Amino acid sequence: MQLDFHGAADCVTGSRHLVTWGGQRVLLDCGLFQGFKVLRERNWASPGFDPREVDAVVLSHAHLDHSGWLPVLVKQGYRGPIYCSPATRDLAEVLLLDAAHLQEEDARRANRYGYSHHAKALPMFTRADAKKALACFKPLREGQAARIDGLSVTLTPVGHLLGACAVTLAHAGERLVYSGDLGRNSDLLMPAPQALTEADVLLVESTYGNRLHPAEDAAARLGQIVRDTIHRGGSVLLPAFAVGRAQALLLVLQRLKAAGEIPPHLPIYLDSPMAIEATDLYRRHRRLLRVPGREMARLCDGVRMVTTGAQSQRLAASRMPSVIISASGMATGGRVLHHLKAMAPDPRHHVVFAGFQVGGSRGALLVAGAREVKIHGEWVPVHAAVTHLEGFSGHADQRELLAWLGHFRRPPRQTFVVHGEPDASDALRQLIAKELGWPVRVPPQGGRFIV
Ligand code: ZN
């Protein structure tokens, strides 16, 4: 078996692991590089393999750092199937079409204002490209196996995000397991990751490979922040990933209201068309969640859905204390930016980041204590309080990663630690070697291994 690591090998984005086995080439995930510019530039470079020579793609979950390069792969000639769970297919449709729309908008803006370095700015991919990629999707039900010639593919739910799965490839009595992104045992929406017990070769993520989630009760802390902020006449801004995190925050806010922890009539706004669409998908696939059906049915009770841009602008100008959930989650784009621009200079407000902030993003700067940030080309002073609530993370922490690995009945012949910042990956590598005694390594970007 040959493994080529073309992404998420020295960072947490751009997951692309190419497996050549049994005469087949299978690409595990096909993600976008995000964050620092030097990483984002890789999206425009050659992927390091010929997309026309890939036989199949298996997608672990819909997050763009795992799925967002699929339209380019298809544009560059890939014509095979893209296997994933049914819920991943539905979420990927929302995420890829939105990403394409943003690319088209950026290119249009760059051409209009002439700030592109190229003669004519082109989107990395268009909505038409995204639709072509979506037409290649082949949803696999839980427990169902797909055949890629002599290889079989099965998916196992691992929490983290609606539809997220670990991937098992099997051939000639051997197994390769790829964890995808592992969720938490106590996630608000998703059940705990299911255990896998057999692997000859293992790829495991390491986003939180060097950290433990804080023991604090994130919901109680959010309740306290909301109470304090509205008491001084301010509003709470929750930049949130439209898919997954926005729904978890709605659930927490509804529970805080029901428990009398925050005022029952406090206005809550969901200002993201994608989050509104994703909320519908979470409700449609509610049997995959751990939340009781009656609670999911009431998830949006009293929540004001902000659909148009004009409504969103009016909300940004409003002085009424409220809670606003808006995307993007790392404040890298989207409607959250005009809320941030309006709220950051006022010390009455509170900005609460409830997710992982990748290095180089505006969110990472803010949680690190930046006193000003650049938004739409303008420097905006930051006087509002800024909090990073890591308790809402959708990733297993170091202890949970190790617990999941502990289910394997025998040591894999080789374990590769992927999808982490270098210090996180290396910390998990050391722990696996010390606690489990397994052969383990962190592959470099572009690294090739025969195992
Ligand atoms: Zn993910």
Side-chain angles (χ1 to χ4, degrees):
M1 179 192 317
Q2 178 181 308
L3 281 155
D4 289 271
F5 295 92
H6 292 293
D10 56 356
C11 58
V12 289
T13 63
S15 284
R16 300 172 200 173
H17 313 299
L18 187 63
V19 183
T20 310
W21 196 18
Q24 299 295 302
R25 278 209 179 89
V26 180
L27 184 62
L28 301 173
D29 286 343
C30 187
L32 274 183
F33 288 98
Q34 297 167 317
F36 291 113
K37 189 170 182 191
V38 60
L39 291 176
R40 283 183 278 122
E41 280 172 346
R42 290 184 188 168
N43 293 322
W44 297 88
S46 155
F49 57 88
D50 184 345
R52 290 168 301 185
E53 291 177 357
V54 175
D55 297 294
V57 177
V58 189
L59 180 59
S60 66
H61 66 294
H63 277 147
L64 288 175
D65 57 327
H66 294 258
S67 72
W69 211 71
L70 284 167
V72 187
L73 190 83
V74 172
K75 198 159 90 169
Q76 294 190 357
Y78 176 69
R79 290 292 173 267
I82 299 170
Y83 295 109
C84 64
S85 71
T88 292
R89 195 238 155 259
D90 289 351
L91 281 186
E93 179 168 14
V94 174
L95 284 161
L96 292 178
L97 289 175
D98 181 76
H101 173 69
L102 292 178
Q103 298 273 345
E104 289 174 12
E105 289 284 293
D106 283 352
R108 203 169 298 135
R109 216 172 296 133
N111 289 327
R112 191 181 317 143
Y113 299 112
Y115 59 70
S116 165
H117 300 302
H118 311 282
K120 186 175 189 316
L122 293 171
M124 193 189 309
F125 56 88
T126 61
R127 273 172 289 188
D129 296 326
K131 282 180 187 160
K132 271 188 208 143
L134 288 161
C136 300
F137 276 52
K138 301 265 181 286
L140 269 185
R141 287 189 313 278
E142 206 179 319
Q144 189 189 359
R147 309 286 316 172
I148 307 168
D149 206 28
L151 261 63
S152 79
V153 187
T154 46
L155 301 173
T156 306
V158 287
H160 179 64
L161 179 77
L162 189 70
C165 287
V167 179
T168 302
L169 293 182
H171 172 67
E174 290 214 316
R175 286 172 194 218
L176 174 146
V177 170
Y178 166 46
S179 70
D181 283 0
L182 286 168
R184 304 178 63 180
N185 295 333
S186 56
D187 192 88
L188 281 159
L189 297 165
M190 302 307 301
Q194 288 184 20
L196 283 162
T197 56
E198 299 288 335
D200 297 282
V201 175
L202 175 65
L203 277 62
V204 64
E205 69 117 333
S206 57
T207 315
Y208 280 80
N210 59 346
R211 276 176 297 168
L212 296 175
H213 291 310
E216 73 165 357
D217 180 343
R221 177 96 190 279
L222 180 61
Q224 185 68 52
I225 288 172
V226 171
R227 283 196 301 276
D228 292 349
T229 308
I230 57 170
H231 185 70
R232 58 174 186 257
S235 291
V236 175
L237 177 62
L238 292 161
F241 300 102
V243 175
R245 195 58 36 81
Q247 293 73 35
L249 289 170
L250 283 177
L251 185 70
V252 167
L253 290 165
Q254 294 289 22
R255 285 178 181 173
L256 288 169
K257 277 191 173 184
E261 298 282 321
I262 61 174
H265 299 297
L266 176 69
I268 295 172
Y269 295 91
L270 185 58
D271 185 5
S272 155
M274 184 162 57
I276 295 169
E277 229 179 307
T279 304
D280 280 345
L281 280 181
Y282 266 77
R283 295 169 86 170
R284 205 181 313 153
H285 288 283
R286 62 184 172 275
R287 61 166 196 87
L288 299 176
L289 308 177
R290 64 159 28 135
V291 185
R294 58 183 177 349
E295 251 197 307
M296 280 313 282
R298 289 201 301 261
L299 189 67
C300 299
D301 284 6
V303 176
R304 302 172 198 199
M305 304 290 173
V306 182
T307 49
T308 70
Q311 286 172 337
S312 179
Q313 294 286 358
R314 272 202 301 282
L315 176 60
S318 152
R319 291 173 188 281
M320 276 286 289
S322 62
V323 175
I324 301 168
I325 303 172
S326 188
S328 75
M330 295 189 274
T332 45
R335 290 183 182 177
V336 76
L337 289 185
H338 61 243
H339 293 298
L340 199 56
K341 211 165 157 183
M343 292 169 74
D346 186 336
R348 288 175 303 168
H349 299 314
H350 204 133
V351 184
V352 182
F353 287 91
F356 184 79
Q357 302 298 312
V358 72
S361 65
R362 212 177 264 110
L365 291 172
L366 282 162
V367 301
R371 298 317 297 163
E372 54 177 4
V373 281
K374 205 171 192 178
I375 302 175
H376 300 140
E378 252 175 65
W379 285 101
V380 178
V382 181
H383 301 304
V386 175
T387 294
H388 192 196
L389 270 189
E390 291 202 69
F392 289 112
S393 163
H395 282 275
D397 70 5
Q398 189 186 62
R399 195 183 307 128
E400 290 166 319
L401 286 167
L402 214 60
W404 188 78
L405 294 171
H407 295 297
F408 288 93
R409 291 200 195 108
R410 57 188 166 86
R413 185 166 70 234
Q414 182 66 54
T415 296
F416 293 97
V417 177
V418 296
H419 198 285
E421 303 289 357
D423 44 353
S425 296
D426 203 58
L428 187 64
R429 178 192 66 78
Q430 288 184 36
L431 209 60
I432 291 172
K434 186 165 149 254
E435 305 265 315
L436 302 171
W438 296 358
V440 56
R441 62 184 306 160
V442 178
Q445 169 70 13
R448 167 171 294 178
F449 297 86
I450 314 278
V451 287

